[in-house]
Amino acid sequence: MTGSNGGKRKLVADRRYPNGTKAKKKPEKKAKKPLFRKKTAARKPKRASTRKRSSNPIVRLVGGLLRWVGRLIWLAFSRGALAFAVVLGIAVFYIYSTLPPYSELLDGRARGSVTLLDRNSSVFAWRGEQFGGQITADTVSPYLKNAIVATEDKRFYRHFGVSPRGVASAVRINLSEGRGPLSGHGGSTLTQQTAKLLCLGVPYDPEQWKNQTEYEADCREGSIARKAKEAVYAMAMEARYSKDEILSIYMNRAYLGSGANGFEAAAQRYFGKSAAEVTIAESAMLAGLLTAPTRYAPTNNLERSQERAGIVLLLMNQQGYITDEERAYAKSHPAELSETAEKRAGGYFADWVMGAGPDFLTRDTTEDVVIETTFDQRIQSAAEEALTWIFENKVREGSEAQAAIVVMSADGAVRAMVGGRKLKVSGAFNRATQAKRQPGSSFKPFVYATALDMGWSYDDPIMDEPITINVPGSGPYSPQNYDRKFHGLVTVTDALKHSYNIPAVELAMDAGLENVRTVASTFGIESDLAQGPALALGVSETTLLEMTGAYAGILNGGSSVTPYGLKSLRLKGDNTALMGQEGGLGERVITPDSAQQLIYMMYNAVQSGTGARAQIPGVEVAGKTGTTQAARDAWFMGFTADYVAGVWMGYDDNSPLTGVTGGGLPAEIWQRTMAQVQDGLEPKPLPMIRPASPPTVQRAQPSGNGQRSNDKADNVLIDLLGAIFGNGN
């Protein structure tokens, strides 16, 4: 090919290489060696696949079958998982749609509570299912909120109602401790525990359940099926409520021992303050109760409760809720019970008062009830301290002897009650109100009251000599004095002062046994009274409460009283009383003059008679001892101008006491109790006659018809006839 200029056209190759040869490559510059060579891992050569398709048809068949089964299993598993997820979602959504507003779930008690106030309107006891009021996670102490989460569910704010990690951990712990995988620790989240407290939304139905205990037992069932239902219910709650709302439900419903439902009730019961005010140490103690409310209740064992609180403090510290310094301080300054909770005073009294109102407002109430009572915590403490001191210092160790004390005002208002040596109790056998025992000679004042009202006088003479009375249906009856002696002619005052039996029987026969029974029963001794002359010696059974009430009638001038402890009963939050006092002063039994003479005679029994150990320096005391046959019961009944008190001592099985009479330990318990009761009170004189001189044997014996003659000639004639024919008994 030639160009326009006639020359040969250069080929492209000629243009690229003008000399007709390929251009030599320029020598490449050597890369500079780095000062430090990087170490690189040597690449491993790829391994040739060792997998060879077998030429054996059987092997190929088996392999294909296995691959087909695997795909089938995977398909079934994936489809089953999908179906399970759909069913679970439907179940969760269904429960979600049935859940009420969380505020309706805060108080789920089937029964109400009874709060008992003393005479100064201070709380001293609770009964029933106490609920302190609604609280929320925002209104309680932040320490309490953190203590609950740290103790019960540290992942509470991170899970969806169920914690797989928690379940796995619980299974591991159970297996390591030799139990079944689901026996013991359940791995339940706090939400699941709340679901259990709600009984999965199933309300209590009296027609379906025999009682509430059976219902609650069913709610606590721990089967696998029940756990599955709890999990579904918990997830529905997580979808329906916020975390703090779930926590609020839990804090209001959790049982924390001693009848306290919810942390507000527990804080008030144990510490006398609101749940919003509890300290770190108190919060730890409350949260520690969740594991075993009855076992760790501080009113049952404070030391054990404090030890459990120490574990909660450690958990709070490990999870960052409190500092090392805060933990150390709380551990060295553990929570203590309030003064009221520590005393747990008046358990016997509270149980007795609960029986004073109708059951639907007390034992079986569905409302929260407040009862104002006559109870005096100062007097109760005095009685409890006196009983404890006597048994610790004057009764042999290991003795099973029991004692009871009742203190009341002259109008029948009961101020204190001890029903046995075990003081911090609820629902225990009350020996002050339930035990019927023979009062012995402490019954004699009612014989003398009858005689005085029939015309006898405190200074009248009476013979203490052997007598035999023919009792129809029983034969001859010959009473004996305690000292097995006879003391001749004595005054009525001396006969009571020294507790002679024969004069008491003579007076009872003279005044009329039926009259004595009438006076005693009208004064308040409601038990069946003996028919024969032994009535005068206290062989009829009665209770300490009845006897104390009867003595109150003597103190108030001769009017009967009905012992009472309930002043008013109202619903909580309502100022209108549903019922008021049922008891107090009743009808007149004996004249004021007879009562004043009898009080003077009983005053002498303490001043220089069988009740000398009951004397209180600077305070006038009147009383009477009582010791039954074989010393099975020992009593001291007495009063000052302010209060009446009765003390009984004996064995529950009616065994004889050893070396104990009414003028011994019972009188000492009475004296120690009343000395503290009178401490700080201005001493008042007893309402009694005050003769210029002590009575002496100067007057004649009374006639057999119960009427006294004031004519001196009649007295001389009676003396003469008595000298000739004897006393007629």
Side-chain angles (χ1 to χ4, degrees), residues 613-663:
R613 293 191 186 183
Q615 294 176 11
I616 301 174
V619 179
E620 291 184 347
V621 174
K624 183 69 188 75
T625 59
T627 308
T628 62
Q629 187 177 14
R632 289 184 173 86
D633 301 277
W635 302 64
F636 185 84
M637 309 295 303
F639 46 79
T640 64
D642 298 290
Y643 294 105
V644 186
V647 176
W648 166 87
M649 190 172 176
Y651 286 98
D652 287 338
D653 62 2
N654 216 30
S655 299
L657 293 163
T658 303
V660 177
T661 64

Side-chain angles (χ1 to χ4, degrees), residues 228-492:
K229 291 179 182 178
E230 280 180 15
V232 175
Y233 200 91
M235 286 187 282
M237 290 181 64
E238 291 279 350
R240 180 72 171 83
Y241 310 124
S242 69
K243 288 287 188 180
D244 278 352
E245 287 175 340
I246 294 172
L247 183 58
S248 296
I249 297 172
Y250 183 78
M251 288 192 298
N252 281 278
R253 280 187 171 253
Y255 178 68
L256 296 163
S258 296
N261 286 265
F263 282 87
E264 179 67 15
Q268 292 176 3
R269 176 159 295 192
Y270 298 134
F271 308 127
K273 61 175 66 173
S274 168
E277 302 170 338
V278 291
T279 64
I280 295 177
E282 291 166 345
S283 297
M285 182 174 287
L286 291 175
L289 299 175
L290 293 168
T291 301
T294 302
R295 172 176 171 78
Y296 290 118
T299 48
N300 290 342
N301 190 319
L302 180 60
E303 184 178 350
R304 185 164 56 203
S305 184
Q306 290 172 340
E307 290 175 356
R308 173 61 185 165
I311 297 175
V312 177
L313 290 171
L314 176 61
L315 293 173
M316 294 177 70
N317 176 248
Q318 291 176 342
Q319 296 173 38
Y321 290 117
I322 57 175
T323 64
D324 293 341
E325 292 75 16
E326 288 174 324
R327 179 199 168 202
Y329 182 85
K331 192 169 179 61
S332 60
H333 298 80
E336 299 285 350
L337 290 169
S338 67
E339 184 177 350
T340 300
E342 173 64 29
K343 287 181 179 178
R344 288 184 64 193
Y348 293 105
F349 180 93
D351 290 340
W352 171 64
V353 168
M354 287 286 286
D359 286 349
F360 70 90
L361 287 175
T362 53
R363 294 184 178 90
D364 300 326
T365 179
T366 57
E367 303 286 343
D368 289 326
V369 174
V370 177
I371 297 179
E372 295 182 356
T373 74
T374 60
F375 185 70
D376 190 310
Q377 296 196 53
R378 183 184 73 88
I379 296 177
Q380 179 72 25
S381 296
E384 292 181 356
E385 188 280 331
L387 184 144
T388 301
W389 191 90
I390 291 295
F391 272 89
E392 287 181 350
N393 293 276
K394 298 203 172 184
V395 177
R396 64 176 175 80
E397 187 176 352
S399 172
E400 295 182 359
Q402 285 288 347
I405 306 171
V406 173
V407 182
M408 68 174 63
S409 299
D411 65 348
V414 178
R415 303 301 183 188
M417 180 180 291
V418 179
R421 290 172 62 181
K422 192 174 182 180
L423 303 176
K424 298 180 179 181
V425 296
S426 174
F429 179 70
N430 190 341
R431 295 162 186 82
T433 62
Q434 295 174 288
K436 292 200 169 189
R437 310 295 293 239
Q438 292 184 2
S441 293
S442 62
F443 182 85
K444 289 176 181 176
F446 307 113
V447 174
Y448 285 84
T450 307
L452 291 169
D453 223 41
M454 300 288 291
W456 285 78
S457 176
Y458 74 97
D459 57 352
D460 281 339
I462 191 169
M463 285 296 296
D464 176 27
E465 62 183 4
I467 60 172
T468 298
I469 303 170
N470 187 30
V471 180
S474 298
Y477 172 67
S478 301
Q480 298 289 322
N481 289 322
Y482 182 78
D483 60 4
R484 301 292 178 178
K485 297 179 181 179
F486 303 99
H487 306 88
L489 196 64
V490 296
T491 65
V492 169

Side-chain angles (χ1 to χ4, degrees), residues 544-610:
L544 178 62
L545 181 65
E546 286 181 356
M547 285 290 289
T548 310
Y551 270 64
I554 297 172
L555 173 61
N556 68 35
S559 295
S560 66
V561 304
T562 299
Y564 70 98
L566 186 151
K567 291 168 60 179
S568 70
L569 183 152
R570 56 182 170 82
L571 297 181
K572 190 173 184 179
D574 193 348
N575 294 325
T576 304
L578 298 180
M579 61 178 296
Q581 169 187 332
E582 292 189 357
L585 291 172
E587 62 181 306
R588 176 163 294 283
V589 184
I590 59 175
T591 65
D593 179 67
S594 298
Q596 290 177 13
Q597 290 189 65
L598 181 57
I599 293 172
Y600 171 74
M601 294 161 61
M602 294 169 68
Y603 168 75
N604 276 270
V606 174
Q607 285 298 106
S608 55
T610 58

